[in-house]
Amino acid sequence: MRCNRCGNEDDRYFFNDHGVWYCRKCVGFGRLNVGEMVNVIPCKKKKLECDYKLKYPLTEMQTIVIKRIMKYLHEKKDVLVYAACGAGKTELTMEAIKEYLQHGKKVCFAISRRQVVLEIKDRMQKAFPMLHVIAVCEGFTDIVDGDLIVCTMHQLYRYQGWFDLLVMDEVDAFPYRDNEVLERIANNACIGQKLMLTATPSKEMLNKVEKHQWEMVELFKRPHGFPLIEPKVYCMPVYFQFIKMLDFIHQCKKENVQSLIFIPTILMANRLYRILHIFLSCMIFTSKTVNKEEVIQNFHDKKYDFLITTTILERGITIKGIYVLILCADHPVFQEASLIQMIGRVGRNIDMPTGKGVFLCKHKTEDIQRCILAIQKMNQDM
């Protein structure tokens, strides 16, 4: 038996329902019986006259990287873009998007998290004002086709055999990473080339590059030319970490700079918020937050001095001029990739290219050490 959606052939993941077998491995996307074909939405393609407009001109390094990306795509090769946080990964994709659309090809920009889908959709709409850019994610599934589709990885199940170019951001992140079902669904959706973006490639990704299954281009220099922020690490008992955190918040307030306070668990975030919001201007943001868009917009509008958040905000969000502190940075939830992403929120804006990043921990873990070494290497290779 074989599932036509996720490719599953493991008997343990099939169930017999009154004589009819179906796949349980991808049943979350709807039941699909063995032998049944995926119900595919008709794909409409047309040539689109379009070009993109950027707030800031591309740097010389970005232009060089884009030429290399286009060279590999013209050779029908999949491309992995390994770029530092804030190096302008989204901007690196726009030339490819423009060219494919101009040739009547279908393009999708897929990303793991719903919140980032909405932000990327807005950025793409501003860059391509002549296009109808749509977001397809939880709460936005009434319209599923447009000139340019921006969606979560999960929503790719709707588009089997659609995309000539599939841009995939945060391919190293949950839930896409090491998820066989989502990888299969992405492969089914893409009939052309994949353009994959990451700031923290896994060993498996680098192995594919070494085996020439993918081509890779690198960009570690941010548009403003300043180096990545290297965090300061303070080792101390948890009680003193809270005191140090309060001093950090006070310093941010004194410098009139907003900050993100990363906490390892939702429970800890809730407890901290209940205490701090009484006398400080802050808000909590976790996967349980109901009004996510409103909280982020209010933060953009500077209605809060800082956000108490979990790793849900380690990627995608760009706030002009923020500092970052990670409490209990030695917690197992904070792995090398997430630490790099969180500290990567600092110094992204051309008007404020520097900033502060602080790791508070009881001891310096291997993940913390690897994070610092990775940032130092990227700064050396700028």
Side-chain angles (χ1 to χ4, degrees):
M1 289 184 290
R2 185 177 187 278
C3 175
N4 287 325
R5 178 163 54 208
C6 69
N8 170 43
E9 295 180 343
D10 190 335
D11 292 344
R12 295 174 299 174
Y13 290 99
F14 289 101
F15 183 76
N16 191 315
D17 181 17
H18 298 89
V20 179
W21 290 90
Y22 69 90
C23 179
R24 294 188 296 116
K25 199 167 188 178
C26 62
V27 72
F29 297 94
R31 173 170 164 171
L32 190 69
N33 297 330
V34 173
E36 184 180 358
M37 299 305 295
V38 179
N39 184 24
V40 179
I41 308 170
C43 179
K44 299 177 182 179
K45 297 183 180 181
K46 60 180 179 180
K47 293 183 178 180
L48 297 167
E49 291 299 325
C50 63
D51 202 351
Y52 54 93
K53 301 177 182 178
L54 299 176
K55 187 175 181 181
Y56 301 103
L58 294 169
T59 66
E60 182 180 353
M61 284 300 300
Q62 285 177 318
T63 302
I64 292 172
V65 169
I66 288 171
K67 288 180 179 178
R68 291 186 61 197
I69 291 172
M70 297 309 300
K71 174 182 178 293
Y72 291 136
L73 291 178
H74 290 155
E75 295 171 356
K76 309 298 182 184
K77 296 177 179 178
D78 292 338
V79 184
L80 178 67
V81 178
Y82 176 18
C85 296
K89 291 190 292 294
T90 305
E91 286 73 18
L92 299 179
T93 70
M94 292 181 181
E95 183 65 27
I97 291 172
K98 180 188 80 171
E99 182 173 307
Y100 274 72
L101 291 177
Q102 286 181 338
H103 286 82
K105 305 292 186 179
K106 203 70 177 178
V107 180
C108 176
F109 194 114
I111 199 164
S112 294
R113 304 194 182 192
R114 174 184 182 276
Q115 185 62 41
V116 187
V117 165
L118 301 177
E119 183 172 322
I120 293 294
K121 183 262 182 185
D122 289 341
R123 289 175 65 183
M124 286 296 179
Q125 189 64 78
K126 291 176 182 177
F128 293 94
M130 70 294 298
L131 297 180
H132 178 211
V133 183
I134 65 162
V136 184
C137 57
E138 181 186 359
F140 295 85
T141 55
D142 292 336
I143 301 173
V144 295
D145 192 11
D147 297 334
L148 175 60
I149 297 167
V150 183
C151 70
T152 55
M153 301 295 193
H154 283 85
Q155 294 295 333
L156 288 173
Y157 84 94
R158 300 175 180 274
Y159 302 103
Q160 185 160 326
W162 268 53
F163 301 118
D164 303 285
L165 176 66
L166 178 57
V167 182
M168 303 176 70
D169 198 359
E170 300 181 4
V171 286
D172 59 301
F174 174 86
Y176 183 79
R177 182 175 178 174
D178 299 327
N179 189 317
E180 293 180 0
V181 172
L182 287 181
E183 288 182 14
R184 180 70 184 191
I185 286 173
N187 289 335
N188 288 342
C190 182
I191 57 174
Q193 288 72 56
K194 295 191 188 75
L195 178 55
M196 297 157 286
L197 316 175
T198 181
T200 50
S202 65
K203 291 182 180 179
E204 292 77 11
M205 295 174 196
L206 297 178
N207 286 337
K208 288 187 177 182
V209 173
E210 289 181 5
K211 295 176 182 178
H212 301 289
Q213 296 174 356
W214 297 347
E215 298 293 341
M216 184 170 77
V217 295
E218 298 177 341
L219 179 62
F220 300 136
K221 190 174 184 178
R222 287 174 163 177
H224 49 57
F226 284 75
L228 301 171
I229 304 301
E230 186 176 331
K232 292 185 178 180
V233 182
Y234 298 94
C235 297
M236 59 187 71
V238 175
Y239 173 77
F240 290 103
Q241 289 182 40
F242 284 103
I243 297 176
K244 185 71 175 177
M245 177 196 67
L246 291 174
D247 179 64
F248 175 85
I249 293 171
H250 174 71
Q251 290 298 321
C252 291
K253 178 70 173 178
K254 191 176 180 180
E255 296 178 31
N256 195 29
V257 176
Q258 292 178 290
S259 60
L260 294 175
I261 309 296
F262 284 98
I263 311 295
T265 68
I266 295 176
L267 180 61
M268 287 180 63
N270 285 330
R271 288 176 175 173
L272 190 62
Y273 172 70
R274 282 198 292 268
I275 297 171
L276 295 185
H277 90 280
I278 297 173
F279 54 93
L280 294 172
S281 173
C282 65
M283 181 52 69
I284 185 171
F285 191 99
T286 72
S287 60
K288 303 297 183 183
T289 300
V290 177
N291 54 333
K292 291 184 175 67
E293 287 78 24
E294 181 182 347
V295 172
I296 292 298
Q297 187 56 54
N298 286 340
F299 192 55
H300 277 291
D301 295 338
K302 300 186 181 299
K303 293 183 179 179
Y304 315 119
D305 291 335
F306 62 96
L307 285 183
I308 300 168
T309 183
T310 56
T311 55
I312 191 173
L313 283 185
E314 73 180 35
R315 300 167 185 265
I317 185 173
T318 299
I319 305 293
K320 182 178 179 180
I322 58 169
Y323 294 170
V324 164
L325 179 140
I326 304 174
L327 191 69
C328 301
D330 50 349
H331 192 282
V333 75
F334 293 138
Q335 299 179 344
E336 176 191 353
S338 58
L339 292 170
I340 292 173
Q341 290 287 349
M342 288 183 285
I343 202 68
R345 302 307 99 198
V346 185
R348 297 169 70 94
N349 192 272
I350 195 169
D351 296 323
M352 192 172 174
T354 60
K356 296 179 182 177
V358 174
F359 291 175
L360 301 181
C361 54
K362 288 188 290 186
H363 63 279
K364 188 182 290 187
T365 63
E366 289 186 10
D367 284 294
I368 292 175
Q369 294 176 28
R370 287 198 297 266
C371 165
I372 294 172
L373 289 174
I375 291 173
Q376 290 173 343
K377 180 183 182 302
M378 285 188 274
N379 283 336
Q380 290 172 358
D381 295 342
M382 283 175 54

